[in-house]
Structures are given as C-alpha cells and as structure tokens.
Amino acid sequence: MRPNMGAVLGHPFWWSEEQRLQLLVDVSDRVEFEDREPDTSLLQDLESFAPAAVGSNWGASMDSELIANLGKYRRYDYTCLRDLLRVVRNKRNHFRELPESLQQLMGPLPIGYYRFFSSRFPMLLLAVFFFATKHLGSDDHIVKYWPNGNLQYAVFEKPFENATAAAVKGYRGSKAGKRCSAGGVGSSKCTAPLNPMMGLPPSAPRPTLAVNGVANGSAVRGAAASPNPAPAAVSGGPTKSVSLQEAVAAAAATA
C-alpha cells in the first residue's frame, strides 16, 4: 500500500525543528498526569514506545551537567519516556533560567535545542508521532498536526512497528513499564532492549544522511521548496549518500 501525497508531505520528515519540538511538548502536556487517572492505559501505550524511542536508560545519553541540574527541581525516572518528554518541555519553557553553560550546550532555541535531543535519541520524534497518531488522533490539542486526518499515516506505522517489535514485546509487563504507568520515579535501572532501529547503545555515534552529497537532508528540503531549516546535524557516524528519490522512499518505508 502506497501513502498518498498528503501523507508524504505531512510527514515529520519535512517539519521544521520548531514544529517537531512543539509536538514533543504538546504530547508531554497531554500525558503528564495520566498516572493519576483511574485508567492508565494511555500512559502504558506511551511507554510501550520507550525502548525504541530512548533505549533502556535515557539518562546515560545526557551530559552530567544536565543530569545534575535536573535533580534540583524534581525527580525523573530515566527509564520512562514520559519523564524524558517532561525534561524536553520543562527545560524549553525555562530555558532562560538555565546556567549559561547549559544554554550554550543545549541551545539556541528552537533549532539547537531540538537537535540536542534528536542527536541523542534519533527515534524519539517518530515514536512520539506514531504514538500520537494511534492514540491521540482526535485529541483537541494534537489534531493540528494532521489537518487532513491521522488515518493517512497508518501506512507508515507498520514498518516502524515491525522494526521495533523486539523492543516493545513484553515491555508493558516489565518492571520499568509498570513503574512508569504507576507514576514511580527515581530509578535508572531497566532491562528493556536497546534501540532496535539503530542497533546501537545510546552513547554510540549516529549515522548521518546525505542527499545528493549534501549532508542532513537539506537538499531534500530544498527540492520540496520547504521553508524549514535543515534537520539536525549529527556528527561522529558514517555518512550515506542517496538520491532525492531514495530519500523520499526511505521516509515512506522506514518512518
């Protein structure tokens, strides 16, 4: 089954960093207090994406200065996707209150800030996006991300689900999954599998995509006449050169 053109052009692959960041923040606001609800199934659904999105322990991918700063204000569970999204939201909203050294490390807003997280968690955006299309498709605060409806993105879900099946399998019944859905915090231990989409531990270098010899997809965006800035630059990993057609096909096949 092929995606229609509306689904292709509306895919997060083409979004600006600002829009990508806003989705993470909006989903964070939507799920933050789900552990207080009688039915915590929505939070459990979110956490089923955690192994693919952030691996076994997102704290291991963070700089020590940021980890120290996080502990000053609240406790975070480094195995919970919900808690990482809250970090994204809270530090974005209070960015000017961060120490200057952290502002330089994580900024500037919004592009540098989004790239800080996307370089450490390459599958975070897609995991949150597919969680939202599947479970928040008609939510008043989220529906703005798919003006033509969320169902058109279903064609992209199956490849993503197949690639992450090993990590997601059994996660709801794991200690980490139960702890997250119950609202527990504070533990940095988790037995969930590493990110199956990358096959790398959180600290390993990430691959960089080059389109027609231009790194990080800027050629794709230019060819699509998109006003959005280029995606995050990720150093330290191998670079793969592909054609424009291959890049668009990759977005449809692997997203």
Side-chain angles (χ1 to χ4, degrees):
M1 180 178 179
R2 292 176 176 269
N4 61 46
M5 187 55 64
V8 171
L9 295 180
H11 193 280
F13 183 84
W14 307 107
W15 291 3
S16 67
E17 279 83 354
E18 183 174 13
Q19 186 176 4
R20 295 175 182 182
L21 175 60
Q22 191 60 51
L23 174 67
L24 301 181
V25 171
D26 286 343
V27 171
S28 175
D29 285 339
R30 176 61 182 82
V31 302
E32 172 64 8
F33 300 110
E34 282 297 308
D35 59 314
R36 303 180 185 179
E37 297 293 328
D39 181 3
T40 61
S41 59
L42 181 64
L43 188 56
Q44 293 175 19
D45 289 329
L46 172 68
E47 293 304 331
S48 72
F49 286 84
V54 298
S56 59
N57 176 358
W58 56 259
S61 297
M62 293 296 194
D63 299 77
S64 58
E65 183 179 3
L66 176 58
I67 292 295
N69 181 268
L70 293 178
K72 293 181 179 180
Y73 303 99
R74 60 174 283 177
R75 297 174 65 195
Y76 292 94
D77 187 333
Y78 301 148
T79 68
C80 284
L81 177 54
R82 181 194 66 167
D83 281 26
L84 176 61
L85 291 178
R86 209 56 183 171
V87 171
V88 174
R89 182 263 187 197
N90 288 346
K91 297 308 177 184
R92 195 282 303 263
N93 289 356
H94 300 281
F95 186 80
R96 303 305 175 191
E97 301 170 19
L98 291 173
E100 182 64 28
S101 56
L102 276 180
Q103 290 189 38
Q104 293 181 1
L105 174 67
M106 302 176 69
L109 286 171
I111 296 175
Y113 186 81
Y114 172 77
R115 292 178 179 181
F116 174 84
F117 290 98
S118 66
S119 64
R120 288 160 175 78
F121 310 105
M123 296 309 300
L124 175 61
L125 176 69
L126 286 183
V128 172
F129 176 76
F130 286 123
F131 160 75
T133 59
K134 192 170 185 178
H135 300 287
L136 301 174
S138 59
D139 187 274
D140 291 340
H141 300 289
I142 308 297
V143 71
K144 62 186 178 184
Y145 292 100
W146 33 82
N148 296 319
N150 64 308
L151 297 181
Q152 64 181 334
Y153 297 105
V155 66
F156 295 111
E157 291 181 11
K158 194 61 177 179
F160 180 86
E161 291 175 353
N162 288 342
T164 60
V168 172
K169 184 179 180 181
Y171 185 73
R172 288 191 184 186
S174 70
K175 291 182 179 179
K178 291 179 179 178
R179 183 167 60 252
C180 290
S181 62
V185 294
S187 174
S188 60
K189 295 182 179 180
C190 180
T191 57
L194 295 178
N195 189 335
M197 297 295 289
M198 305 300 294
L200 299 170
S203 59
R206 307 297 180 179
T208 300
L209 178 67
V211 180
N212 292 336
V214 180
N216 304 314
S218 57
V220 174
R221 291 178 181 270
S226 170
N228 300 334
V234 183
S235 60
T239 298
K240 178 184 178 182
S241 294
V242 299
S243 67
L244 172 60
Q245 292 78 12
E246 290 172 327
V248 173
T254 64

